[in-house]
């Protein structure tokens, strides 16, 4: 008998059938406009997770007490966004079909669209919570509609007005900020509007997407488009804990570019965010 040839995210060593959460990587960064490297994010998160404890003092929970399967990374074609999103969709679909929660590790932010498509198919009344420095509301970027800079706009194309809640936003075109006033709930700079949003969407299924650049680049420099003035790690952990009462049905954590922070601190931080999310979500 042979064993698998990769190390899963720490504590996520259960089999598919017995698990309620399925972790998978989407190592894709073809539309990254500034500094590439997010394609290495999921692998770094998996590798560096062995620097973590499985126990969280923040939540008094331990990954050892969970049943989570890490399937590893999907092998994606870098030159073809449409095909890559389709492949991400197929994996997501299979996870949902088996009544499990997809938990995707990016990759650039565009990968969210592949998973979201399938989640929307299963949950037509889905709401989106986005933590991000950037609006991601452009209709197109460099004449491309399938771009990391357009991902939330593409989600709006599907679900429409009043269902998208954005937090930590501090960068975008004027047109995007004005457009958001009509179509999304955009909270600038921090997570201060989160309580109100939770109250509004507590009866709906929720897709949670966390672009790690929502964090301050002082603690999270390892990302493609760092944006000064971000939230602290403790603010993010508080936000994650607050969402434990929500009906979150799918999650992704994206935009770690480990090659852009040679200290490794950004990767270690991302691992910790993933651990806290898994422990918050596990039922
Ligand atoms: Mn961003």
């Amino acid at each position: 008998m042979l064993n698998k040839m990769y190390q899963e995210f720490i504590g996520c060593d259960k089999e598919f059938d017995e698990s309620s959460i399925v972790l998978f990587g989407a190592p894709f960064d073809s539309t990254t406009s500034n500094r590439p490297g997010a394609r290495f994010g999921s692998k770094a998160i998996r590798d560096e997770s062995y620097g973590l404890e499985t126990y969280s003092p923040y939540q008094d929970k331990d990954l050892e007490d969970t049943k989570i399967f890490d399937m590893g990374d999907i092998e994606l074609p870098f030159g073809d966004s449409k095909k890559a999103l389709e492949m991400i969709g197929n994996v997501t679909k299979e996870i949902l079909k088996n009544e499990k929660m997809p938990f995707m590790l990016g990759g650039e932010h565009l990968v969210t669209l592949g998973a979201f498509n399938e989640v929307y198919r299963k949950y037509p009344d889905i709401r989106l919570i986005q933590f991000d420095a950037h609006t991601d509301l452009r209709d197109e970027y460099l004449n491309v509609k399938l771009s990391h800079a357009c991902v939330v706009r593409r989600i709006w194309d599907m679900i429409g007005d009043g269902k998208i809640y954005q937090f930590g936003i501090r960068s975008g075109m004027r047109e995007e900020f004005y457009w958001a006033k009509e179509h999304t709930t955009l909270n600038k700079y921090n997570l201060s509007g989160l309580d109100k949003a939770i109250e509004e969407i507590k009866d709906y299924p929720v897709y949670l997407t966390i672009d790690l650049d929502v964090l301050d680049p002082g603690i999270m420099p390892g990302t493609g488009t760092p944006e000064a003035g971000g939230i602290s790690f403790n603010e993010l952990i508080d936000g994650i804990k607050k969402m434990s009462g929500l009906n979150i049905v799918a999650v992704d954590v994206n935009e770690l570019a480990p090659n852009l922070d040679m200290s490794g601190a950004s990767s270690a931080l991302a691992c910790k965010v993933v651990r806290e999310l898994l422990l918050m979500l596990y039922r």
Side-chain angles (χ1 to χ4, degrees):
M1 183 181 153
L2 295 172
N3 292 314
K4 58 186 174 190
M5 296 292 280
Y6 71 93
Q7 284 203 292
E8 65 286 330
F9 188 87
I10 193 168
C12 299
D13 55 354
K14 303 300 185 291
E15 298 302 320
F16 181 81
D17 282 341
E18 58 181 332
S19 298
S20 59
I21 300 175
V22 176
L23 205 57
F24 68 96
F28 183 82
D29 63 5
S30 290
T31 83
T32 299
S33 45
N34 192 3
R35 311 186 299 167
R39 69 176 66 182
F40 306 118
S42 49
K43 184 173 184 299
I45 288 173
R46 203 173 282 116
D47 289 347
E48 298 304 322
S49 68
Y50 289 86
L52 284 179
E53 302 285 356
T54 55
Y55 174 72
S56 161
Y58 303 90
Q59 302 188 66
D60 188 24
K61 292 179 180 176
D62 198 312
L63 286 173
E64 298 290 352
D65 303 326
T66 65
K67 288 190 164 65
I68 299 168
F69 172 65
D70 180 356
M71 71 164 271
D73 286 351
I74 315 176
E75 201 174 342
L76 296 170
F78 286 112
D80 191 339
S81 302
K82 195 159 170 280
K83 182 73 190 160
L85 294 179
E86 243 176 65
M87 292 172 72
I88 292 166
N90 289 340
V91 169
T92 307
K93 191 175 177 178
E94 190 63 24
I95 296 168
L96 292 171
K97 198 177 85 187
N98 287 278
E99 305 300 329
K100 302 174 190 305
M101 180 191 294
F103 191 127
M104 176 169 62
L105 304 173
E108 61 158 78
H109 210 161
L110 181 66
V111 297
T112 300
L113 194 57
F116 189 90
N117 268 319
E118 291 302 325
V119 173
Y120 172 56
R121 226 184 274 261
K122 180 164 178 175
Y123 303 98
D125 55 349
I126 193 81
R127 302 299 193 261
L128 179 78
I129 292 183
Q130 172 201 8
F131 289 1
D132 201 328
H134 308 95
T135 50
D136 291 354
L137 290 172
R138 280 174 151 91
D139 189 37
E140 53 174 53
Y141 187 55
L142 309 173
N143 299 314
V144 172
K145 285 199 172 234
L146 289 180
S147 164
H148 69 102
C150 310
V151 61
V152 177
R153 182 66 174 262
R154 293 290 82 77
I155 287 173
W156 177 84
D157 290 345
M158 279 182 257
I159 65 177
D161 288 347
K163 297 177 179 173
I164 294 172
Y165 294 80
Q166 306 179 279
F167 297 92
I169 310 295
R170 53 194 186 276
S171 176
M173 293 188 303
R174 175 186 282 159
E175 288 84 346
E176 291 177 90
F177 280 92
Y178 281 43
W179 189 89
K181 284 183 188 171
E182 308 283 314
H183 303 287
T184 76
T185 304
L186 186 153
N187 297 273
K188 285 185 199 166
Y189 316 130
N190 54 45
L191 310 183
S192 58
L194 189 58
D195 290 315
K196 185 162 178 279
I198 289 171
E199 190 50 37
E200 281 178 33
I201 62 177
K202 62 180 190 309
D203 298 326
Y204 295 95
V206 174
Y207 188 113
L208 172 62
T209 181
I210 297 187
D211 183 330
L212 290 163
D213 66 28
V214 73
L215 290 157
D216 193 82
I219 55 168
M220 179 66 215
T223 193
T225 316
E227 195 70 47
I231 65 170
S232 72
F233 177 74
N234 288 334
E235 280 175 272
L236 180 56
I237 292 298
D238 285 347
I240 287 171
K241 283 160 70 179
K242 273 184 187 170
M243 290 187 286
S244 64
L246 285 175
N247 178 24
I248 294 173
V249 298
V251 187
D252 66 63
V253 175
N254 57 72
E255 293 287 356
L256 168 68
N259 54 312
L260 298 175
D261 176 8
M262 295 316 285
S263 79
S266 298
S267 300
L269 185 157
C271 292
K272 205 165 164 180
V273 172
V274 170
R275 180 189 72 190
E276 295 303 318
L277 281 166
L278 289 170
L279 290 171
M280 182 273 279
L281 293 164
Y282 182 75
R283 302 280 184 273

